Structure formats: structure tokens, C-alpha cells
């Protein structure tokens, strides 16, 4: 297993266009998280999945954002009608179920997908 | 709501010296986990060290140690024998169940 994979790594788009990011987690991880990170800030939680179920969504996730994890494996994050304020790094992370072992609590991150909205 | 505070936007340390990065947290949940991640300029978040709220001893991982003071709700990261490759952003994070939140980070610069 090569870890958490995110694609594309970089996306430049014009305001108003739709973009989609994909995340492939570590295969045995049933938790999958999306975070957004702007320059000089820490990651901000967007949403997370347990298998295919989306269990929590941040208020940061406006109606223009939608995330799916249809078969409990890979996930997609779509942003519709992009705005310049959406420019950020979108980070995906995965983990085992919490509480079982030390390693279960650690989130493993992908390299991120950087979005630039012109 | 949980809250993570990192009060040092930037820190400088001389190569081979030790440095402490501060982190305080706020939670009413007795069960939680504290983490430190490193983010170099390449952007990837790299896990460094973990401390569980019920752990009796401070966590250590090589040159990294976590100074856990539960009563003060602090979880400072100590890096010993700093190396030039330690220059990066460092984030403190807390996890309660499946909910994990991050502080604003500290940029560490190691000077030769």
C-alpha cells in the first residue's frame, strides 16, 4: 500500500467552473477525512466518512461543496461554481477505527490537492 | 467545542540545540488524543508523535518528545538536537472520537 493518494495535485480553474478532487485512502482504513488549508493556517475540518456514510459536515462546507464515498473506498470532493475564496489546499486523510490501538488514532494524510481559482 | 492554541507563529533554533513548541488545548471530554504533525514546504502532513489522555508517561519518538501536562491542558513538543531538515510548519492537533482539529501552527526555522 502506497499510502493516501490524491489527484490531481494541482488544479487551476476559472471562477464559476466546477472541480472535483479524488482521494484514495489506505485500503484497510474505514475513516476518511477532508480538510481545507489556506496559506499560513492549520487544516480546517470539512467532513468525514465512516465507510460510505458521511457522518459529519463542517459549516465551512457550503451548498456548493459535496463529498461522496460511494463504496467505502475512494472519495471525491466536488466544488461547484468555484469562487476565488475556494483557493486552498484540500487535504485528505484516513485512519483505522478509533480507540482500538495506538495506531488507530493516527490520521495518515495525502499530499493534498492545491486549487487556484482565477 | 474543542480548541487548540499554538501561540508561537514562528520560532528560530540553532542547529543541534533543543526547541520547545507550545500547544494548549481545551476540552471537557476525559478521553482524547494529542498529536503533532510536521508539514515541510512540500505540503504533506507527516505524523510525529501521539499522546493519549490516559497515558501516564510522556510520549517519545526518537528526537521528539511530548511534554504532557494534563492539569494545565498543555502538550508541548520538544525537538532535541535540531537539524536543518527540521525546518517546517508544526501543527498540534487533538482528537476526540472521530473528530480531529488542528492548531494554527508554528513555523520552525533551524539556523546553521
Amino acid at each position: 500500500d502506497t499510502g493516501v493518494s490524491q489527484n490531481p495535485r494541482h488544479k487551476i480553474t476559472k471562477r464559476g467552473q466546477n472541480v472535483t478532487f479524488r482521494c484514495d485512502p489506505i485500503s484497510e482504513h474505514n475513516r476518511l477525512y477532508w480538510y481545507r488549508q489556506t496559506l499560513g493556517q492549520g487544516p480546517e475540518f470539512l467532513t468525514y466518512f465512516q465507510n460510505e456514510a458521511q457522518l459529519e459536515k463542517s459549516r465551512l462546507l457550503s451548498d456548493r461543496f459535496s463529498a461522496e464515498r460511494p463504496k467505502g473506498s475512494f472519495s471525491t470532493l466536488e466544488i461547484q461554481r468555484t469562487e476565488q475564496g475556494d483557493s486552498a489546499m484540500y487535504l485528505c486523510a484516513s485512519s483505522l477505527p478509533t480507540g482500538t490501538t495506538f495506531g488507530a488514532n493516527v490520521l495518515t494524510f495525502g499530499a493534498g490537492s492545491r486549487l487556484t481559482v482565477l | 467545542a474543542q480548541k487548540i492554541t499554538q501561540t508561537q507563529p514562528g520560532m528560530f533554533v540553532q542547529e543541534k540545540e533543543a526547541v520547545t513548541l507550545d500547544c494548549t488545548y481545551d476540552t471537557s471530554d476525559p478521553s482524547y488524543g494529542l498529536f503533532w504533525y510536521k508539514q515541510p514546504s512540500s505540503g504533506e502532513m507527516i505524523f510525529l508523535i501521539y499522546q493519549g489522555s490516559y497515558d501516564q508517561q510522556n510520549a517519545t519518538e526518537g528526537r521528539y518528545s511530548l511534554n504532557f501536562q494534563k492539569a494545565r491542558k498543555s502538550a508541548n513538543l520538544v525537538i532535541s538536537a535540531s537539524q536543518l531538515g527540521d525546518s517546517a510548519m508544526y501543527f498540534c492537533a487533538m482528537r476526540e472520537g472521530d473528530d480531529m482539529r488542528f492548531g494554527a501552527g508554528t513555523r520552525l526555522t533551524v539556523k546553521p
Side-chain angles (χ1 to χ4, degrees):
Chain A
D1 196 339
T2 56
V4 179
S5 176
Q6 291 188 247
N7 289 287
R9 291 292 310 280
H10 304 276
K11 179 71 176 179
I12 300 173
T13 190
K14 293 183 179 179
R15 187 178 55 183
Q17 297 295 305
N18 299 345
V19 296
T20 299
F21 300 115
R22 175 176 169 131
C23 173
D24 288 88
I26 293 173
S27 56
E28 62 266 30
H29 287 184
N30 71 340
R31 264 46 167 193
L32 187 147
Y33 297 76
W34 285 99
Y35 288 84
R36 182 177 72 183
Q37 187 178 25
T38 52
L39 199 62
Q41 299 299 313
E44 297 171 294
F45 171 79
L46 292 178
T47 189
Y48 91 95
F49 293 84
Q50 177 180 318
N51 300 312
E52 67 276 7
Q54 188 173 19
L55 296 187
E56 187 178 348
K57 292 172 63 174
S58 163
R59 281 173 290 181
L60 293 174
L61 217 64
S62 74
D63 291 344
R64 297 184 297 105
F65 287 70
S66 63
E68 295 182 343
R69 194 182 183 197
K71 297 182 179 180
S73 56
F74 72 92
S75 175
T76 57
L77 177 68
E78 181 182 17
I79 309 173
Q80 295 181 327
R81 304 181 303 281
T82 52
E83 301 173 356
Q84 289 183 326
D86 297 332
S87 295
M89 176 77 85
Y90 290 85
L91 295 167
C92 176
S94 68
S95 80
L96 292 166
T98 56
T100 51
T101 65
F102 153 73
N105 292 297
V106 177
L107 266 61
T108 301
F109 282 82
S113 293
R114 183 170 296 283
L115 174 64
T116 302
V117 182
L118 302 176
Chain B
Q2 58 176 283
K3 182 178 178 181
I4 310 295
T5 304
Q6 294 181 254
T7 58
Q8 306 153 313
M11 289 283 286
F12 290 88
V13 64
Q14 203 69 37
E15 191 180 7
K16 300 181 184 178
E17 297 290 313
V19 62
T20 298
L21 306 183
D22 295 341
C23 173
T24 59
Y25 59 93
D26 184 26
T27 180
S28 56
D29 192 329
S31 178
Y32 52 90
L34 297 159
F35 302 77
W36 279 90
Y37 282 82
K38 172 184 178 181
Q39 188 177 44
S41 56
S42 60
E44 189 161 355
M45 297 284 283
I46 301 168
F47 165 72
L48 296 177
I49 195 165
Y50 163 80
Q51 179 88 41
S53 60
Y54 295 118
D55 293 343
Q56 296 297 310
Q57 293 188 326
N58 287 345
T60 61
E61 288 287 345
R63 294 186 300 110
Y64 304 109
S65 61
L66 200 153
N67 184 3
F68 181 43
Q69 299 189 38
K70 195 170 183 176
R72 295 185 177 183
K73 294 187 177 179
S74 74
N76 299 339
L77 176 70
V78 180
I79 305 175
S80 62
S82 297
Q83 303 172 354
L84 296 177
D86 293 336
S87 293
M89 284 290 291
Y90 288 81
F91 293 98
C92 178
M94 181 170 67
R95 187 169 187 179
E96 295 174 298
D98 288 327
D99 190 6
M100 186 154 178
R101 309 296 168 116
F102 289 78
T106 296
R107 178 170 297 282
L108 177 67
T109 303
V110 181
K111 298 188 288 185

